[in-house]
Amino acid sequence: AYQADGVHVGIPLGSQLGVFDGAVGKILLAGLTPAAAASAIGKAPIPAHTGNTLVEPAELLAAVDGARAQGWAASIQELNENNAVAAGIQGPSGDIEAIIFALGFPRQLTPEAIPEVGAMLRAVADEIAATCGVVAANNP
């Protein structure tokens, strides 16, 4: 059994994250067409989880477009006090079937480290999809 030594971050089993929830939310939105992402963002006010949350629709859409282009998304203290990086794994239909992500305290998962972590997660997500028989095609 795992026993934590000291303070750590994590997401409890059974947690649910949605389209306005940091890096995971951006990847969920990036898996949609640009029009569908814009529609999802425009349906309701964006909740401000922290002072860093992207609450302006245009700002969030720009971040989603960036995530779609690079294949991974980041959240710098947008959902809570931690930083996160996420990449989607597409299934045979092209829809996101799973998401992998890294989560850490800002001193551990620094903004400078995020691009390297994002590229690593994108590569791992592509490898998982390929192992499952899915050909990678600009996976979000």
Side-chain angles (χ1 to χ4, degrees):
Y2 172 77
Q3 291 188 332
D5 293 333
V7 179
H8 68 281
V9 296
I11 297 178
L13 186 62
S15 296
Q16 295 183 5
L17 298 174
V19 296
F20 297 129
D21 296 333
V24 169
K26 290 175 192 170
I27 284 299
L28 290 170
L29 290 165
L32 303 174
T33 66
S39 176
I41 289 170
K43 285 186 179 179
I46 301 168
H49 300 292
T50 73
N52 291 338
T53 303
L54 304 179
V55 295
E56 293 298 323
E59 190 177 23
L60 181 55
L61 276 173
V64 169
D65 288 344
R68 189 179 291 112
Q70 66 194 7
W72 56 270
S75 170
I76 299 176
Q77 296 181 314
E78 294 172 36
L79 181 59
N80 53 39
E81 69 276 4
N82 301 311
N83 293 342
V85 185
I89 302 170
Q90 289 180 329
S93 69
D95 293 335
I96 292 178
E97 299 285 339
I99 296 173
I100 58 173
F101 63 96
L103 175 67
F105 293 119
R107 71 178 185 277
Q108 296 168 321
L109 182 55
T110 64
E112 297 77 22
I114 284 175
E116 181 180 354
V117 173
M120 184 183 334
L121 289 177
R122 176 73 270 139
V124 170
D126 289 344
E127 188 174 330
I128 291 169
T131 300
C132 295
V134 177
V135 177
N138 192 23
N139 288 325

